[in-house]
């Protein structure tokens, strides 16, 4: 067996190779960016080279720290080094295997019972580029007298202090996690697990694996949806550390471009807004803005006054709706139909009593042309059209709906009176998180306003020109190769991609473009804390990824929202029948056994039948509780903050700032972890919130309270 010093020398060689590849990529990218070319073929090759080298350099820059984290020794003597990316020698032989490659899988899945052809697995503990030490798992006895236990590397990672950002787990992926990460499922994969099972980390590593094995997904980017901005900041470094940068991070309140909100509705309003009944309510709200006048609307022209009657408006509405267009897109059809009818009316009224224009087609045509020209400029007509078929934004539609009892009674007539009352508010534009899917639904029904449609037409023309240019370029480049192994430019780029790269007016990244475009279609979507999403939330997300390529993360036991999922089948089967699969993580890596026992009692009290994960470790430190007087609470909290590592104070409502600690509500703490947690007034927390708050600590937990504790906290050691 080689010594750790030998491994250090080999890893130093890997870094030499890594540095050489990164320097070469930087040179090639710079050369490509500086290249000039006047012909379409030269420009195409330049764009392709820039794209390839930019992607290559991004992967190389992400893999520097902890480049190599493990090694396997096979029975046949083969030694394989496993790391963040793959490296080849000059003869194209592997020096380092990418962790996502099939050859690296035994590193994660081998056990003493099923060694998968290995005699040893070695874990390197690194800091930056330095190898500090190593732990061995020996699968054939007698191979190494000094090997550590199989959990040594994992336990070392679990006991390491938290830094305030999620770390990737690429070096310590466990077998049950690896099975999910590499799952070849093309639909929706649900990863369920209790607190600390690593489900979020597994989901993010699964994305990296999918983009490695299906690189076409990366062309449309990845959407990662999390419960709140602090959580997104916490996980934001994981995918870049794995070499994936085309990622949009968002909360449910961010999914409509131009609107951001974190305001929560009252439970009744959230329940109603999250239900599928709102699809019909919004459709009815749109339909009721396509009106017919109760009384004729006069339109004064130079020679005659014409009227928009109920019959004219009804016929125009039927004509517009028959086209199958969205509301704003159908408005010109309605307007044209009204204008046509008024022009005919003008012809008849101008000629009434002194001529018969219908018997003089040329005269009628002239009158009709004049009337149409005058009607197009008529302000009364424009005002009438705005009243009968207004151009609407989603915000205008819903603000008018929520602030008008009359509109609510009309559009939401199918809802119970109490549910209609839950939707009403004085300020219709006081947007909440639960409003975002409703606004998105409205946007689907309304379509873009005229100014946006005009811009889209210009963009479509440019795209068509670009596609024509691209096709010409590819025809120029598609020559017969001299050698069957020669790579042609046409093999590296297609017309769509080349046209996209050729667009000179938009140099934003994929992530920037996707975040600004409501109709952007993503290659893959990750949904965290998915148990909180309503049926209406799912409609938004499925529009963003109609291929149903999702990784869904959640824990039904932690559901807080009244509109959230009560089962995964109820949430997903209607949208992806037969195209979703469910996997459960059973081992808790974050929360030590002493704290998990307390959390289990709380869960059993409010959600019987739900199970908690099995804790992977014990710290020997018992969580405690102390009762104080209300006037002592703030000072007692500040006195308790201290000790090594990160500290969080979690209170049921906003709490004064505490030096040396992060102060959070349970909702803000979701998905986060800290070395120590101080829980304040748990008796005032919703049971689901209390369960979440209890399971944020990796080492130490204390409780301060001013009133008697809930029965579920009886395991806490009482401090006097």
């Amino acid at each position: 067996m080689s010594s750790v010093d030998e491994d250090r020398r080999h890893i130093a060689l890997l870094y030499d190779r890594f540095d050489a590849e990164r320097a070469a990529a930087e040179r090639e990218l710079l050369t490509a960016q500086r290249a000039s070319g006047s012909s379409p073929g030269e420009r195409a090759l330049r764009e392709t080279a820039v794209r390839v080298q930019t992607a290559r350099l991004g992967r190389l820059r992400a893999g520097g720290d902890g480049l190599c984290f493990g090694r396997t020794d096979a029975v046949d003597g083969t030694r394989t080094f496993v790391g963040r990316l793959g490296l080849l020698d000059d003869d194209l032989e592997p020096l380092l295997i990418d962790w996502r490659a099939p050859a690296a899988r035994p590193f994660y899945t081998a056990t003493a019972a099923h060694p998968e052809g290995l005699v040893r697995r070695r874990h390197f503990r690194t800091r930056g580029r330095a190898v500090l030490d190593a732990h061995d798992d020996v699968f054939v006895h007698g191979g190494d007298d000094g090997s550590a236990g199989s959990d040594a590397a994992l336990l070392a990672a679990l006991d390491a202090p938290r830094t305030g950002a999620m770390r990737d787990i690429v070096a310590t992926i466990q077998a049950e996690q690896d099975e999910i990460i590499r799952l070849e499922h093309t639909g929706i994969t649900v990863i369920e697990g209790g607190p600390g099972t690593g489900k979020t980390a597994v989901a993010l590593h699964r994305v990296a694996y999918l983009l490695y094995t299906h690189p076409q997904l990366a062309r449309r980017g990845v959407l990662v949806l999390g419960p709140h901005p602090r959580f997104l900041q916490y996980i934001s470094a994981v995918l870049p550390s794995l070499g994936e940068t085309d990622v949009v991070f968002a909360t449910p309140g961010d999914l409509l471009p131009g609107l951001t909100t974190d305001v929560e509705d009252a439970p009744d309003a959230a329940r109603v807004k999250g239900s599928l009944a709102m699809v019909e309510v919004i459709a009815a709200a749109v339909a009721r803005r396509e009106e017919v006048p109760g009384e004729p609307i006069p339109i004064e022209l130079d020679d005659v006054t014409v009227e928009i009657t109920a019959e004219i408006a009804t016929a125009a509405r039927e004509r517009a709706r028959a086209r199958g267009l969205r509301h704003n897109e159908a408005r010109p059809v309605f307007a044209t139909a009204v204008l046509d009818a008024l022009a005919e009316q003008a012809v008849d009224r101008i000629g009434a009593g002194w001529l018969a224009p219908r018997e003089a087609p040329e005269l009628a045509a002239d009158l009709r042309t004049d009337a149409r020209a005058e009607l197009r400029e008529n302000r009364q007509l424009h005002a009438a059209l705005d009243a009968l078929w207004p151009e609407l934004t989603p915000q205008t539609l819903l603000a008018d709906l929520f602030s008008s009892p009359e509109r609510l009674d009309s559009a939401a007539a199918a809802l119970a009176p109490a549910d209609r009352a839950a939707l009403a508010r004085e300020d219709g534009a006081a947007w909440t998180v639960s409003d975002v899917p409703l606004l998105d639904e409205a946007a689907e029904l309304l379509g873009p306003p005229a100014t946006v449609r005009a811009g889209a037409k210009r963009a479509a023309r440019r795209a068509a020109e670009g596609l024509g240019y691209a096709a010409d370029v590819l025809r120029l480049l598609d020559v017969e190769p001299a050698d069957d192994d020669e790579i042609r430019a046409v093999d590296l780029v297609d017309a769509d991609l080349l046209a996209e790269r050729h667009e000179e007016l938009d140099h934003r990244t994929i992530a920037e473009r996707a975040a600004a475009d409501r109709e952007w279609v993503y290659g893959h979507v990750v949904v965290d804390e998915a148990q909180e999403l309503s049926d209406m939330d799912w409609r938004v997300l499925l529009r963003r990824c109609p291929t149903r390529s999702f990784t869904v993360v959640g824990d039904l036991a932690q559901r807080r929202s009244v509109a959230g999922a009560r089962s995964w089948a109820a949430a997903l089967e209607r949208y992806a029948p037969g195209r979703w699969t469910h996997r459960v993580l059973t081992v808790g890596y974050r929360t030590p056994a002493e704290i998990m026992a307390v959390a289990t009692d709380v869960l059993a009290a409010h959600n019987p039948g739900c199970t908690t994960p099995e804790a992977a470790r014990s710290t020997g430190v018992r969580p405690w509780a102390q009762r104080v007087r209300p006037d002592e609470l703030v000072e007692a909290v500040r006195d308790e903050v201290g000790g090594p590592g990160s500290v969080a104070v979690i209170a049921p409502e906003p709490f004064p700032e505490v030096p040396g600690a992060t102060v959070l509500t349970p909702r803000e703490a979701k998905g986060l972890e800290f070395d120590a947690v101080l829980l304040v007034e748990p008796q005032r927390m919703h049971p689901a919130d209390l369960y979440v708050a209890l399971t944020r600590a990796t080492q130490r937990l204390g409780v301060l309270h001013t009133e008697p504790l809930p029965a579920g906290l009886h395991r806490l050691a009482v401090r006097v």
Side-chain angles (χ1 to χ4, degrees), residues 137-187:
D137 305 332
V138 179
F139 303 116
V140 178
H141 292 296
D144 178 14
D145 294 335
S147 65
S150 62
D151 292 332
L154 174 62
L155 292 176
L158 296 179
D159 288 332
R162 267 47 187 178
T163 62
M166 178 179 280
R167 295 169 292 198
D168 65 61
I169 59 169
V170 65
T172 57
I173 292 170
Q174 301 301 291
E176 73 167 359
Q177 297 172 328
D178 185 78
E179 186 271 332
I180 296 171
I181 289 170
R182 298 176 192 267
L183 188 65
E184 288 296 333
H185 180 71
T186 57

Side-chain angles (χ1 to χ4, degrees), residues 652-692:
E653 53 194 26
F655 194 82
E657 182 178 345
V658 179
T662 302
V663 180
L664 304 166
T665 64
R667 177 175 176 266
E668 294 168 335
K670 269 198 167 185
L672 307 183
E673 61 182 15
F674 303 88
D675 294 294
V677 168
L678 191 62
L679 219 57
V680 179
E681 303 285 45
Q683 73 281 358
R684 298 183 184 176
M685 294 181 183
H686 184 282
D689 287 344
L690 178 55
Y691 181 59
V692 169

Side-chain angles (χ1 to χ4, degrees), residues 178-344:
D178 185 78
E179 186 271 332
I180 296 171
I181 289 170
R182 298 176 192 267
L183 188 65
E184 288 296 333
H185 180 71
T186 57
I188 300 174
T189 299
V190 179
I191 306 173
E192 185 164 18
T197 52
K199 54 188 178 292
T200 297
V202 169
L204 296 175
H205 286 69
R206 175 167 169 74
V207 171
Y209 173 78
L210 288 173
L211 296 180
Y212 174 82
T213 54
H214 305 287
Q216 70 274 14
L217 296 178
R219 282 187 54 185
R220 300 300 302 176
V222 173
L223 172 65
V224 176
L225 189 77
H228 52 81
R230 189 185 293 270
F231 173 81
L232 295 176
Q233 183 179 10
Y234 174 66
I235 68 170
S236 62
V238 174
L239 282 172
S241 77
L242 299 173
E244 308 300 342
T245 56
D246 290 328
V247 182
V248 174
F249 294 94
T251 70
D254 299 333
L255 286 175
L256 192 70
L259 174 66
T260 296
T261 179
D262 61 358
V263 178
E264 296 288 341
D265 267 307
D268 280 347
R271 173 184 55 80
V272 177
K273 291 179 180 180
S275 71
L276 291 178
M278 291 304 299
V279 174
E280 298 302 323
V281 171
I282 295 169
V286 173
R288 282 159 176 75
R289 301 304 293 267
E290 300 164 1
E291 299 182 18
V292 172
E295 298 290 336
I297 301 174
I299 308 296
E300 297 178 2
L301 303 179
D302 288 344
D303 298 321
V304 70
T305 295
V306 293
E307 294 177 324
I308 304 176
T309 63
E311 291 76 16
I312 287 176
T314 298
R317 183 171 67 178
E318 290 175 356
R319 177 175 168 184
R321 288 177 174 176
R323 293 285 299 275
L325 301 172
R326 294 181 289 183
H327 173 88
N328 288 334
E329 296 163 339
R331 185 178 187 272
V333 180
F334 175 81
T336 299
V338 171
L339 187 145
D340 288 344
L342 293 180
E344 293 300 327

